[in-house]
Amino acid sequence: MDEPIQTLERRPLTCVWEITSACDLRCVHCEGRAGRRHPEELSRDEALELCGALADLGCQRCNLSGGEPLLRRDWPEIARRLCDRGIDVHLITNGTALDASALARAEQAGVVGVAVSIDGLRATHDRIRPSATRRAGSSFDLAFEALQRVLRSGMKAGVITHINTWNLGELDRLCELLAGLELDVWQVQLALPAGRAREIGEPYLIRPEQLEQVYAFLLRVLHDGRVPIRVTDTIGYYTELEPVIRCRYSEDTLPFWTGCHAGLQVVGIESNGDVKGCPCMPAEFVAGNVRQRSLGDIWRDESGFAYNTRWREQELTGFCKRCAFGRLCRAGCTTLAYSLTGTIYENPYCLYRVRATRQES
């Protein structure tokens, strides 16, 4: 019998496109170490051509991110071209450049929604997201002001928060702050052991045993009901809480984890044209570059996404190998598993594993 993931139509329904690596912040957890513009960043014409290629492949949603996407001058043109081809466009921004003028350009381009990164209360957020220019003022204040502008605009408004040891203890207070708004979604995810997060000299990434604390927080938010919260692929898997925390986002979404969709229904594009199944994946997962092969050719070559298109249950290792849910779960988030263990077939950041291991000891 086929598992749910094997019944999916392979089509890049969602694209996360890092249109620039330029950024005015130096976030301590940035997987791509964003800062300077990539010397081989796609040109305006190349980017606009890529918009058409995404539409031709059946893409339905494109998240424009970075770096800081608003630092690329032609971002409104890219957004407009995507919208004109029938793709829903969302901006993912740190908020520092999202003034009234930028928001007006987003509306004119047809942008559907904006998600602003907020990683804690003021002091913690500013510590996680320091300015690259040492400007006066708080990156938190700029982000929160940008979020309020989006809320007033009528566009969909979201917040994205990376959970780490610095902010874990204040997530409830952050929830109280966000509860006074009318957000469309609060997306939470674990900070990944990649990029700058590997260089921090003190504990930043939460430990597997702290997943219980993360789940307790999620349950409080869900029970309270004032903030619509969404967990990403990094949080799970397969306890009795799975259908509770992984709420159904649409009628087509199962209320439990069914495996990573990178390279199956998700595609990531970097500012230089590199293509991966997910933008968080390290360089080893690059399937090709749009300057060398068309996006369509890269996508149709399933070998470039073999970690999912040719995934093998018998390759599971460690606890995942003996887990009753291994065939369904496929070791959780592919990027998280690989970043931690060097293999896509074992993932220690699993609540089911944490609990089972504790009972065995």
Side-chain angles (χ1 to χ4, degrees), residues 216-270:
F217 155 72
L218 292 172
L219 291 175
R220 287 193 295 272
V221 178
L222 287 165
H223 178 74
D224 179 75
R226 289 181 295 166
V227 183
I229 198 164
R230 175 187 296 169
V231 301
T232 66
D233 298 1
T234 57
I235 298 175
Y237 313 90
Y238 282 95
T239 67
E240 77 285 357
L241 300 176
E242 181 65 19
V244 180
I245 63 106
R246 204 169 304 283
C247 302
R248 295 185 69 174
Y249 308 137
S250 73
E251 291 302 315
D252 300 325
T253 306
L254 294 172
F256 57 90
W257 173 254
T258 58
C260 172
H261 285 196
L264 297 176
Q265 292 196 328
V266 178
V267 66
I269 303 174
E270 296 188 347

Side-chain angles (χ1 to χ4, degrees), residues 9-15 49-61 82 85-87 263-269 275-276 290 293-301 305:
E9 176 189 6
R10 188 168 174 271
R11 188 157 57 108
L13 299 177
T14 299
C15 172
E49 181 178 353
L50 192 52
C51 295
L54 281 168
D56 291 342
L57 286 172
C59 182
Q60 296 178 357
R61 170 174 175 147
L82 290 166
R85 290 299 306 269
I87 299 174
L264 297 176
Q265 292 196 328
V266 178
V267 66
I269 303 174
V275 177
K276 299 181 288 189
V290 298
R293 285 193 295 163
S294 72
L295 179 62
D297 285 346
I298 294 171
W299 179 260
R300 285 184 287 269
D301 181 2
F305 308 92

